[in-house]
Amino acid sequence: MSMRFTAKARRGMVTLAAVTGLALGAAACSGGGGDDKKPQNTASASQGSGSQPSAQEGQSEEPLAEMKGPSGLLLQITSAVRDSGGFVTLNGALKNDGGTMATIPSALSGNETEIMNNGRSLGGATLVDSKSKKRYYVLRDTEGRPLTTTGFSTLKAGEKIDVFLQFPAPPADTTDVTFQLPLFPSAVVKISG
């Protein structure tokens, strides 16, 4: 019986990963042109044509958290949304605020062999629920890939990429969690939803 539950849970995680990937791809493709107000920003899902709501739709102008890391890297968390499936998705941007090309440190991927084998990512991130005294790690799919932005190794000066990270959701009465990423300072993030 536990084998069936495990297989069913794995299928659910693969489906969730596929849906998340499709949603992010659709959001990236739906960004309308002609937004001359903010030429310094790259296209993001929140700048789309106002179509279907997504995890990034609830983003505000002011980030929930902003952390400065090594080599001029700046991580901004713009939304932290709890969904009905028992997950919390963080969205934001990783930017090179330095004047030269920045190599993304491998430490951001964490130190788990399974995650490191899948390339550079933000797989080393955790959410800490001080109220329940629990730490939540980035979710992984059935092949060990982290459910976070992957496949980036460098950022040119001034370049910005949109990022996401998905975690198991803490209990419903927990709204404030501490976001931790190796080489970056910790930051408190408020979960909505």
Side-chain angles (χ1 to χ4, degrees):
M1 212 166 165
S2 65
M3 299 275 292
R4 279 190 199 150
F5 178 76
T6 302
K8 193 173 188 179
R10 284 185 180 169
R11 282 192 302 272
M13 291 301 293
V14 169
T15 302
L16 178 63
V19 169
T20 301
L22 290 173
L24 288 173
C29 291
S30 70
D35 186 10
D36 295 330
K37 284 183 167 179
K38 299 180 183 177
Q40 73 277 9
N41 289 341
T42 58
S44 71
S46 63
Q47 295 173 337
S49 58
S51 59
Q52 73 279 4
S54 71
Q56 291 186 344
E57 289 285 330
Q59 292 182 9
S60 62
E61 292 293 321
E62 200 61 35
L64 298 175
E66 191 170 272
M67 298 147 283
K68 293 183 187 237
S71 305
L73 293 175
L74 176 69
L75 178 64
Q76 294 178 322
I77 303 297
T78 54
S79 70
V81 180
R82 180 190 316 265
D83 66 28
S84 60
F87 306 106
V88 170
T89 303
L90 274 62
N91 291 294
L94 181 63
K95 182 179 181 184
N96 179 359
D97 262 354
T100 60
M101 183 175 287
T103 301
I104 306 300
S106 61
L108 300 185
S109 299
N111 59 6
E112 293 181 39
T113 306
E114 191 173 41
I115 290 180
M116 292 187 324
N117 288 340
N118 287 295
R120 298 274 167 89
S121 71
L122 302 176
T126 59
L127 289 182
V128 177
D129 175 7
S130 299
K131 185 176 177 181
S132 299
K133 296 182 171 59
K134 289 187 180 180
R135 179 182 306 261
Y136 298 93
Y137 294 89
V138 170
L139 291 169
R140 290 136 181 93
D141 67 11
T142 57
E143 295 176 8
R145 292 182 298 246
L147 296 182
T148 180
T149 305
T150 60
F152 51 93
S153 58
T154 60
L155 288 177
K156 297 174 189 168
E159 184 178 8
K160 178 172 96 169
I161 60 169
D162 293 330
V163 297
F164 82 97
L165 304 101
Q166 195 163 53
F167 300 89
D173 62 340
T174 299
T175 56
D176 292 340
V177 291
T178 302
F179 175 79
Q180 298 176 333
L181 182 66
L183 307 177
F184 284 78
S186 299
V188 175
V189 175
K190 183 172 264 333
I191 299 172
S192 62

